Amino acid sequence: MGRRRMRAVVAVAGAVTLAAGLGACGGGDEGGGGGAGKTLNVLIGANTQYPQEFRAWQKSIADRFKAQTGATVEFEEFATANDELTKIQTSVVSGAGPDVYAVGTTLTPTAYSTGAFVKLDDERWQKVGGKERFVPATLGISGPDQQNQVGVPFVSRPFVMAYNTELLRAAGISRPATTWDELREHAKQLTKGDQYGLAVAYKDNFDPWKFVWGMSVQAGNPLVDGRTARLQDPIVRQAYQTYFGWVTTDKVVDPAAIGWTNSQAIAEFAEGKTGYMALTSTTAAKALDDGAVKGKWSFALLPTVPPGAASRPATGVEAASILSGDNLLVADYSDNQDLAFEFVKMATEQDTQLDYYKAVGNLPANAAALQTLQSDPKLAPVAQAAQKSVATPFTGAWADIQLAMTNVVVQSIPDLSKGSVSDAQLDGRLADAQKSAQSALDRAK
Amino acid sequence: MTEQSTTRTRRRGVTEQQRPLWLLTPGGLLMTLIILVPLLLAVYISLIDLDQYTLRRWLDAPFIGLRNFTEAFESGLPRSIWISVSFAVISTAATVPFGIAAAVATQNAFRGRALVRAVFLIPYVLPSFVVATVWRTMLQPDGIVNTMLAKVGVDGALWLSGPTSFWTLILVEIWAAWPFIYLMALAGLQSVDGEVHEASAIDGANWWPKLTHVILPYLRGPVLLACLLATLHHINNFTLPYVLFGAPAPDDVNVMPMIVYVTSFQGLRFGLSAAMAIVSLLLIAIPLFAYLRALRLDVHEDGGRK
């Protein structure tokens, strides 16, 4: 009896939770059109670094939006890209949910492939202030082509290197490396005693593919060619070899780095005993200023000349970073689409964008706003990286390809610890990656 | 025990025809809503080609029969099944001696027993996420475990990558899961009548024969049940491998929950992952069914079968 009663209680609790969940899902779309009495729901990534500043910005834009349109803006936050994906999935299935989504650039193709977001025609682009309002590079991942764009650039988070100005000066290095070969040479010069040339997060789940993608694109292989994956390719192979070589043959990276995530690598660099932090963004500034490296570090563009070359080949692209940041997407099930685009317009205005930058440190996608930040010498390399960012291939298969590329590194870590990844091992893993990337592309619709 | 007897007396007043079965309706409805409907939905999803492209109109997603299942078996699923099952069986087998020993050791009263019992339960009450995070930190290549090993002259290992990761997963699972066996064994020990202890004392049994011939047979039932539940729990454990190793996981710890997770939420292939989930459900049902048949837990003395 007791057990049965217990079960019933659990069942009722489950049903209540379920009903509450459904209610929350449906809460998004009362009313229609624009103006007073309406509520606009905006889904945006939580900011764990500057939560208070982030809330203050939300309140300020919501107040202004209320004054302008009479509508209330409600922000809903998600913790990780996966949470957002889940939210998109449930909203797509139920046809109800947030009106506006801030979606990360690498997730935008996936969001696009669901077909659940409003495509921007000329009229809609005008509504949000016109394409010319944005840094041209940021439009690179708004859609698969000019006619099919869904994402309005919101913020940039380009990837850059950080370097220890003091250590570089002491080693007689006058400016940070601009080619991958030069970076390796610098790193060798900087490695001595308990000091290492490079901090690299080999165990990170998001970092590794960005190196391989960058080196490959710079050497003229975009990884995806129409509907063909090009991972089993000498260029990609050399990119992985370079990336692995830093720790295996060049020995310019702390051997413990095979267990590091990006934040661990940052923490190491912040201790002031590493020449370069190989991949980071403005969001790391706070952590660096809290460390021993305070006042002794600077951002620099990632190298844009592929490994083994002194200059970029004709087919190569000057990719300083993946196009990284957030786009604003309007859900096509929303009854408040006009209002949503008005909000997008406000969120991408110069002043709003600068306020947002001051609040949380994300670079504006608004061209005029970014221009005003160029004068800050510390930010100049980052702003430049934003302009030289290149979009990753716009395909719904990208998530799988990214995963396959990361998996090559994950499975190679034991070999990295032994000191070498043999050609046969690398080729075998590249073949697996190629297979899964190609099958993802074959399924793309 | 007393509850069962009162149940029996109450039931005796009602004949089989008069049983108020309609009272089960609310429970039945909830069971349908919460268990049956999602289960049927999962079966249906496993038969359609549901991915990010078809998600929006998922009812129109193409029906592809058993193709998801064949693809699952052609991809990593059989290997994942093997990893999951061996992980679960080894973990269970390894936790049983610990659990029983701890239960026997804390059976007799001694000063500080309550404290020891409480300490034994710490791994069990800690959230899996915390356990995994702490172990991950300790098992870093330059983490505390390798540092300590180096101090005693042993070369550390690469705990979180490659083939060692499988044993790391088992090690951490044992650490976190043995108190469950301990709890069940302790409950079993409590049910050993005081008279049994007296009788064996009168018969002059030493502690070892008493343990093996008198006490342990009492524990057989609860510990077997604990083994079954623990094994199922090991097979279903997602948090531990996910937090310890991240996704994508090293091939050696690509357990079933990991592969289902990656297929659903990183590869966005809901049809394929539903097929994988159903295969793992069936797999879990086998030992469960065997156990329920063996113990006849589903038949009460006053139940339908007589």
mmCIF file with all atom_site columns, all heavy atoms in Angstrom, chain A residues 336-353:
data_model
loop_
_atom_site.group_PDB
_atom_site.id
_atom_site.type_symbol
_atom_site.label_atom_id
_atom_site.label_alt_id
_atom_site.label_comp_id
_atom_site.label_asym_id
_atom_site.label_entity_id
_atom_site.label_seq_id
_atom_site.pdbx_PDB_ins_code
_atom_site.Cartn_x
_atom_site.Cartn_y
_atom_site.Cartn_z
_atom_site.occupancy
_atom_site.B_iso_or_equiv
_atom_site.pdbx_formal_charge
_atom_site.auth_seq_id
_atom_site.auth_comp_id
_atom_site.auth_asym_id
_atom_site.auth_atom_id
_atom_site.pdbx_PDB_model_num
ATOM 1   N N   . ASN A 1 336 ? 4.362  38.168 -32.758 1.00 0.00 ? 336 ASN A N   1
ATOM 2   C CA  . ASN A 1 336 ? 4.829  39.547 -32.569 1.00 0.00 ? 336 ASN A CA  1
ATOM 3   C C   . ASN A 1 336 ? 6.034  39.846 -33.462 1.00 0.00 ? 336 ASN A C   1
ATOM 4   O O   . ASN A 1 336 ? 6.984  40.469 -33.023 1.00 0.00 ? 336 ASN A O   1
ATOM 5   C CB  . ASN A 1 336 ? 5.236  39.767 -31.112 1.00 0.00 ? 336 ASN A CB  1
ATOM 6   C CG  . ASN A 1 336 ? 4.083  39.542 -30.172 1.00 0.00 ? 336 ASN A CG  1
ATOM 7   O OD1 . ASN A 1 336 ? 2.946  39.889 -30.495 1.00 0.00 ? 336 ASN A OD1 1
ATOM 8   N ND2 . ASN A 1 336 ? 4.361  38.937 -29.031 1.00 0.00 ? 336 ASN A ND2 1
ATOM 9   N N   . GLN A 1 337 ? 5.987  39.387 -34.698 1.00 0.00 ? 337 GLN A N   1
ATOM 10  C CA  . GLN A 1 337 ? 7.188  39.510 -35.527 1.00 0.00 ? 337 GLN A CA  1
ATOM 11  C C   . GLN A 1 337 ? 7.620  40.957 -35.748 1.00 0.00 ? 337 GLN A C   1
ATOM 12  O O   . GLN A 1 337 ? 8.807  41.270 -35.690 1.00 0.00 ? 337 GLN A O   1
ATOM 13  C CB  . GLN A 1 337 ? 6.979  38.810 -36.859 1.00 0.00 ? 337 GLN A CB  1
ATOM 14  C CG  . GLN A 1 337 ? 6.995  37.298 -36.714 1.00 0.00 ? 337 GLN A CG  1
ATOM 15  C CD  . GLN A 1 337 ? 6.846  36.583 -38.030 1.00 0.00 ? 337 GLN A CD  1
ATOM 16  O OE1 . GLN A 1 337 ? 6.942  37.195 -39.084 1.00 0.00 ? 337 GLN A OE1 1
ATOM 17  N NE2 . GLN A 1 337 ? 6.610  35.294 -37.963 1.00 0.00 ? 337 GLN A NE2 1
ATOM 18  N N   . ASP A 1 338 ? 6.642  41.853 -35.997 1.00 0.00 ? 338 ASP A N   1
ATOM 19  C CA  . ASP A 1 338 ? 7.023  43.250 -36.237 1.00 0.00 ? 338 ASP A CA  1
ATOM 20  C C   . ASP A 1 338 ? 7.705  43.840 -35.014 1.00 0.00 ? 338 ASP A C   1
ATOM 21  O O   . ASP A 1 338 ? 8.725  44.509 -35.104 1.00 0.00 ? 338 ASP A O   1
ATOM 22  C CB  . ASP A 1 338 ? 5.788  44.084 -36.599 1.00 0.00 ? 338 ASP A CB  1
ATOM 23  C CG  . ASP A 1 338 ? 5.327  43.762 -38.016 1.00 0.00 ? 338 ASP A CG  1
ATOM 24  O OD1 . ASP A 1 338 ? 6.181  43.295 -38.798 1.00 0.00 ? 338 ASP A OD1 1
ATOM 25  O OD2 . ASP A 1 338 ? 4.137  43.966 -38.315 1.00 0.00 ? 338 ASP A OD2 1
ATOM 26  N N   . LEU A 1 339 ? 7.089  43.540 -33.880 1.00 0.00 ? 339 LEU A N   1
ATOM 27  C CA  . LEU A 1 339 ? 7.650  44.008 -32.622 1.00 0.00 ? 339 LEU A CA  1
ATOM 28  C C   . LEU A 1 339 ? 9.047  43.420 -32.417 1.00 0.00 ? 339 LEU A C   1
ATOM 29  O O   . LEU A 1 339 ? 9.980  44.097 -31.980 1.00 0.00 ? 339 LEU A O   1
ATOM 30  C CB  . LEU A 1 339 ? 6.715  43.551 -31.498 1.00 0.00 ? 339 LEU A CB  1
ATOM 31  C CG  . LEU A 1 339 ? 6.622  44.404 -30.242 1.00 0.00 ? 339 LEU A CG  1
ATOM 32  C CD1 . LEU A 1 339 ? 6.278  45.836 -30.586 1.00 0.00 ? 339 LEU A CD1 1
ATOM 33  C CD2 . LEU A 1 339 ? 5.559  43.809 -29.320 1.00 0.00 ? 339 LEU A CD2 1
ATOM 34  N N   . ALA A 1 340 ? 9.190  42.163 -32.775 1.00 0.00 ? 340 ALA A N   1
ATOM 35  C CA  . ALA A 1 340 ? 10.477 41.483 -32.613 1.00 0.00 ? 340 ALA A CA  1
ATOM 36  C C   . ALA A 1 340 ? 11.550 42.173 -33.448 1.00 0.00 ? 340 ALA A C   1
ATOM 37  O O   . ALA A 1 340 ? 12.667 42.397 -32.978 1.00 0.00 ? 340 ALA A O   1
ATOM 38  C CB  . ALA A 1 340 ? 10.347 40.018 -33.016 1.00 0.00 ? 340 ALA A CB  1
ATOM 39  N N   . PHE A 1 341 ? 11.212 42.522 -34.685 1.00 0.00 ? 341 PHE A N   1
ATOM 40  C CA  . PHE A 1 341 ? 12.213 43.190 -35.520 1.00 0.00 ? 341 PHE A CA  1
ATOM 41  C C   . PHE A 1 341 ? 12.527 44.584 -34.998 1.00 0.00 ? 341 PHE A C   1
ATOM 42  O O   . PHE A 1 341 ? 13.652 45.058 -35.120 1.00 0.00 ? 341 PHE A O   1
ATOM 43  C CB  . PHE A 1 341 ? 11.756 43.225 -36.986 1.00 0.00 ? 341 PHE A CB  1
ATOM 44  C CG  . PHE A 1 341 ? 12.018 41.918 -37.682 1.00 0.00 ? 341 PHE A CG  1
ATOM 45  C CD1 . PHE A 1 341 ? 10.979 41.083 -38.050 1.00 0.00 ? 341 PHE A CD1 1
ATOM 46  C CD2 . PHE A 1 341 ? 13.327 41.503 -37.932 1.00 0.00 ? 341 PHE A CD2 1
ATOM 47  C CE1 . PHE A 1 341 ? 11.227 39.868 -38.661 1.00 0.00 ? 341 PHE A CE1 1
ATOM 48  C CE2 . PHE A 1 341 ? 13.577 40.286 -38.546 1.00 0.00 ? 341 PHE A CE2 1
ATOM 49  C CZ  . PHE A 1 341 ? 12.522 39.463 -38.911 1.00 0.00 ? 341 PHE A CZ  1
ATOM 50  N N   . GLU A 1 342 ? 11.515 45.236 -34.406 1.00 0.00 ? 342 GLU A N   1
ATOM 51  C CA  . GLU A 1 342 ? 11.804 46.533 -33.788 1.00 0.00 ? 342 GLU A CA  1
ATOM 52  C C   . GLU A 1 342 ? 12.812 46.378 -32.650 1.00 0.00 ? 342 GLU A C   1
ATOM 53  O O   . GLU A 1 342 ? 13.706 47.195 -32.467 1.00 0.00 ? 342 GLU A O   1
ATOM 54  C CB  . GLU A 1 342 ? 10.514 47.156 -33.239 1.00 0.00 ? 342 GLU A CB  1
ATOM 55  C CG  . GLU A 1 342 ? 9.894  48.142 -34.208 1.00 0.00 ? 342 GLU A CG  1
ATOM 56  C CD  . GLU A 1 342 ? 8.668  48.782 -33.612 1.00 0.00 ? 342 GLU A CD  1
ATOM 57  O OE1 . GLU A 1 342 ? 8.818  49.738 -32.832 1.00 0.00 ? 342 GLU A OE1 1
ATOM 58  O OE2 . GLU A 1 342 ? 7.550  48.306 -33.921 1.00 0.00 ? 342 GLU A OE2 1
ATOM 59  N N   . PHE A 1 343 ? 12.637 45.283 -31.901 1.00 0.00 ? 343 PHE A N   1
ATOM 60  C CA  . PHE A 1 343 ? 13.575 45.023 -30.810 1.00 0.00 ? 343 PHE A CA  1
ATOM 61  C C   . PHE A 1 343 ? 14.968 44.754 -31.365 1.00 0.00 ? 343 PHE A C   1
ATOM 62  O O   . PHE A 1 343 ? 15.971 45.270 -30.866 1.00 0.00 ? 343 PHE A O   1
ATOM 63  C CB  . PHE A 1 343 ? 13.104 43.832 -29.964 1.00 0.00 ? 343 PHE A CB  1
ATOM 64  C CG  . PHE A 1 343 ? 14.116 43.440 -28.928 1.00 0.00 ? 343 PHE A CG  1
ATOM 65  C CD1 . PHE A 1 343 ? 14.213 44.135 -27.731 1.00 0.00 ? 343 PHE A CD1 1
ATOM 66  C CD2 . PHE A 1 343 ? 15.015 42.403 -29.172 1.00 0.00 ? 343 PHE A CD2 1
ATOM 67  C CE1 . PHE A 1 343 ? 15.164 43.795 -26.792 1.00 0.00 ? 343 PHE A CE1 1
ATOM 68  C CE2 . PHE A 1 343 ? 15.976 42.063 -28.237 1.00 0.00 ? 343 PHE A CE2 1
ATOM 69  C CZ  . PHE A 1 343 ? 16.056 42.762 -27.044 1.00 0.00 ? 343 PHE A CZ  1
ATOM 70  N N   . VAL A 1 344 ? 15.039 43.954 -32.427 1.00 0.00 ? 344 VAL A N   1
ATOM 71  C CA  . VAL A 1 344 ? 16.333 43.643 -33.033 1.00 0.00 ? 344 VAL A CA  1
ATOM 72  C C   . VAL A 1 344 ? 17.008 44.936 -33.487 1.00 0.00 ? 344 VAL A C   1
ATOM 73  O O   . VAL A 1 344 ? 18.212 45.128 -33.309 1.00 0.00 ? 344 VAL A O   1
ATOM 74  C CB  . VAL A 1 344 ? 16.152 42.672 -34.226 1.00 0.00 ? 344 VAL A CB  1
ATOM 75  C CG1 . VAL A 1 344 ? 17.454 42.500 -34.986 1.00 0.00 ? 344 VAL A CG1 1
ATOM 76  C CG2 . VAL A 1 344 ? 15.639 41.328 -33.728 1.00 0.00 ? 344 VAL A CG2 1
ATOM 77  N N   . LYS A 1 345 ? 16.195 45.850 -34.050 1.00 0.00 ? 345 LYS A N   1
ATOM 78  C CA  . LYS A 1 345 ? 16.753 47.127 -34.505 1.00 0.00 ? 345 LYS A CA  1
ATOM 79  C C   . LYS A 1 345 ? 17.368 47.881 -33.330 1.00 0.00 ? 345 LYS A C   1
ATOM 80  O O   . LYS A 1 345 ? 18.507 48.352 -33.385 1.00 0.00 ? 345 LYS A O   1
ATOM 81  C CB  . LYS A 1 345 ? 15.642 47.966 -35.135 1.00 0.00 ? 345 LYS A CB  1
ATOM 82  C CG  . LYS A 1 345 ? 16.120 49.328 -35.623 1.00 0.00 ? 345 LYS A CG  1
ATOM 83  C CD  . LYS A 1 345 ? 15.074 49.995 -36.491 1.00 0.00 ? 345 LYS A CD  1
ATOM 84  C CE  . LYS A 1 345 ? 15.674 51.197 -37.194 1.00 0.00 ? 345 LYS A CE  1
ATOM 85  N NZ  . LYS A 1 345 ? 15.133 52.457 -36.712 1.00 0.00 ? 345 LYS A NZ  1
ATOM 86  N N   . MET A 1 346 ? 16.607 47.925 -32.230 1.00 0.00 ? 346 MET A N   1
ATOM 87  C CA  . MET A 1 346 ? 17.099 48.660 -31.065 1.00 0.00 ? 346 MET A CA  1
ATOM 88  C C   . MET A 1 346 ? 18.368 48.011 -30.503 1.00 0.00 ? 346 MET A C   1
ATOM 89  O O   . MET A 1 346 ? 19.322 48.695 -30.128 1.00 0.00 ? 346 MET A O   1
ATOM 90  C CB  . MET A 1 346 ? 16.008 48.711 -29.992 1.00 0.00 ? 346 MET A CB  1
ATOM 91  C CG  . MET A 1 346 ? 16.410 49.506 -28.780 1.00 0.00 ? 346 MET A CG  1
ATOM 92  S SD  . MET A 1 346 ? 15.086 49.622 -27.570 1.00 0.00 ? 346 MET A SD  1
ATOM 93  C CE  . MET A 1 346 ? 14.203 51.049 -28.140 1.00 0.00 ? 346 MET A CE  1
ATOM 94  N N   . ALA A 1 347 ? 18.394 46.691 -30.494 1.00 0.00 ? 347 ALA A N   1
ATOM 95  C CA  . ALA A 1 347 ? 19.532 45.983 -29.893 1.00 0.00 ? 347 ALA A CA  1
ATOM 96  C C   . ALA A 1 347 ? 20.805 46.132 -30.718 1.00 0.00 ? 347 ALA A C   1
ATOM 97  O O   . ALA A 1 347 ? 21.904 45.911 -30.210 1.00 0.00 ? 347 ALA A O   1
ATOM 98  C CB  . ALA A 1 347 ? 19.199 44.505 -29.734 1.00 0.00 ? 347 ALA A CB  1
ATOM 99  N N   . THR A 1 348 ? 20.653 46.498 -32.008 1.00 0.00 ? 348 THR A N   1
ATOM 100 C CA  . THR A 1 348 ? 21.842 46.610 -32.842 1.00 0.00 ? 348 THR A CA  1
ATOM 101 C C   . THR A 1 348 ? 22.207 48.062 -33.133 1.00 0.00 ? 348 THR A C   1
ATOM 102 O O   . THR A 1 348 ? 23.054 48.335 -33.969 1.00 0.00 ? 348 THR A O   1
ATOM 103 C CB  . THR A 1 348 ? 21.649 45.849 -34.177 1.00 0.00 ? 348 THR A CB  1
ATOM 104 O OG1 . THR A 1 348 ? 20.439 46.290 -34.790 1.00 0.00 ? 348 THR A OG1 1
ATOM 105 C CG2 . THR A 1 348 ? 21.580 44.356 -33.945 1.00 0.00 ? 348 THR A CG2 1
ATOM 106 N N   . GLU A 1 349 ? 21.530 49.003 -32.447 1.00 0.00 ? 349 GLU A N   1
ATOM 107 C CA  . GLU A 1 349 ? 21.896 50.415 -32.608 1.00 0.00 ? 349 GLU A CA  1
ATOM 108 C C   . GLU A 1 349 ? 23.258 50.691 -31.970 1.00 0.00 ? 349 GLU A C   1
ATOM 109 O O   . GLU A 1 349 ? 23.654 50.015 -31.016 1.00 0.00 ? 349 GLU A O   1
ATOM 110 C CB  . GLU A 1 349 ? 20.837 51.306 -31.934 1.00 0.00 ? 349 GLU A CB  1
ATOM 111 C CG  . GLU A 1 349 ? 19.700 51.658 -32.869 1.00 0.00 ? 349 GLU A CG  1
ATOM 112 C CD  . GLU A 1 349 ? 18.479 52.156 -32.125 1.00 0.00 ? 349 GLU A CD  1
ATOM 113 O OE1 . GLU A 1 349 ? 18.573 52.369 -30.895 1.00 0.00 ? 349 GLU A OE1 1
ATOM 114 O OE2 . GLU A 1 349 ? 17.437 52.321 -32.781 1.00 0.00 ? 349 GLU A OE2 1
ATOM 115 N N   . GLN A 1 350 ? 23.923 51.711 -32.474 1.00 0.00 ? 350 GLN A N   1
ATOM 116 C CA  . GLN A 1 350 ? 25.275 52.013 -32.004 1.00 0.00 ? 350 GLN A CA  1
ATOM 117 C C   . GLN A 1 350 ? 25.353 52.158 -30.485 1.00 0.00 ? 350 GLN A C   1
ATOM 118 O O   . GLN A 1 350 ? 26.184 51.531 -29.831 1.00 0.00 ? 350 GLN A O   1
ATOM 119 C CB  . GLN A 1 350 ? 25.767 53.300 -32.679 1.00 0.00 ? 350 GLN A CB  1
ATOM 120 C CG  . GLN A 1 350 ? 27.184 53.674 -32.258 1.00 0.00 ? 350 GLN A CG  1
ATOM 121 C CD  . GLN A 1 350 ? 27.712 54.880 -33.023 1.00 0.00 ? 350 GLN A CD  1
ATOM 122 O OE1 . GLN A 1 350 ? 27.136 55.291 -34.024 1.00 0.00 ? 350 GLN A OE1 1
ATOM 123 N NE2 . GLN A 1 350 ? 28.806 55.443 -32.548 1.00 0.00 ? 350 GLN A NE2 1
ATOM 124 N N   . ASP A 1 351 ? 24.441 52.953 -29.902 1.00 0.00 ? 351 ASP A N   1
ATOM 125 C CA  . ASP A 1 351 ? 24.541 53.209 -28.466 1.00 0.00 ? 351 ASP A CA  1
ATOM 126 C C   . ASP A 1 351 ? 24.260 51.949 -27.644 1.00 0.00 ? 351 ASP A C   1
ATOM 127 O O   . ASP A 1 351 ? 24.955 51.653 -26.676 1.00 0.00 ? 351 ASP A O   1
ATOM 128 C CB  . ASP A 1 351 ? 23.565 54.324 -28.055 1.00 0.00 ? 351 ASP A CB  1
ATOM 129 C CG  . ASP A 1 351 ? 24.011 55.663 -28.630 1.00 0.00 ? 351 ASP A CG  1
ATOM 130 O OD1 . ASP A 1 351 ? 25.192 55.743 -29.052 1.00 0.00 ? 351 ASP A OD1 1
ATOM 131 O OD2 . ASP A 1 351 ? 23.189 56.594 -28.685 1.00 0.00 ? 351 ASP A OD2 1
ATOM 132 N N   . THR A 1 352 ? 23.212 51.225 -28.059 1.00 0.00 ? 352 THR A N   1
ATOM 133 C CA  . THR A 1 352 ? 22.879 49.997 -27.324 1.00 0.00 ? 352 THR A CA  1
ATOM 134 C C   . THR A 1 352 ? 24.056 49.037 -27.351 1.00 0.00 ? 352 THR A C   1
ATOM 135 O O   . THR A 1 352 ? 24.388 48.386 -26.357 1.00 0.00 ? 352 THR A O   1
ATOM 136 C CB  . THR A 1 352 ? 21.673 49.297 -27.984 1.00 0.00 ? 352 THR A CB  1
ATOM 137 O OG1 . THR A 1 352 ? 20.777 50.269 -28.463 1.00 0.00 ? 352 THR A OG1 1
ATOM 138 C CG2 . THR A 1 352 ? 20.993 48.370 -27.015 1.00 0.00 ? 352 THR A CG2 1
ATOM 139 N N   . GLN A 1 353 ? 24.690 48.957 -28.517 1.00 0.00 ? 353 GLN A N   1
ATOM 140 C CA  . GLN A 1 353 ? 25.802 48.029 -28.676 1.00 0.00 ? 353 GLN A CA  1
ATOM 141 C C   . GLN A 1 353 ? 27.004 48.436 -27.824 1.00 0.00 ? 353 GLN A C   1
ATOM 142 O O   . GLN A 1 353 ? 27.660 47.591 -27.238 1.00 0.00 ? 353 GLN A O   1
ATOM 143 C CB  . GLN A 1 353 ? 26.207 47.977 -30.153 1.00 0.00 ? 353 GLN A CB  1
ATOM 144 C CG  . GLN A 1 353 ? 25.127 47.361 -31.024 1.00 0.00 ? 353 GLN A CG  1
ATOM 145 C CD  . GLN A 1 353 ? 25.516 45.992 -31.504 1.00 0.00 ? 353 GLN A CD  1
ATOM 146 O OE1 . GLN A 1 353 ? 26.403 45.837 -32.325 1.00 0.00 ? 353 GLN A OE1 1
ATOM 147 N NE2 . GLN A 1 353 ? 24.864 44.977 -30.966 1.00 0.00 ? 353 GLN A NE2 1
#
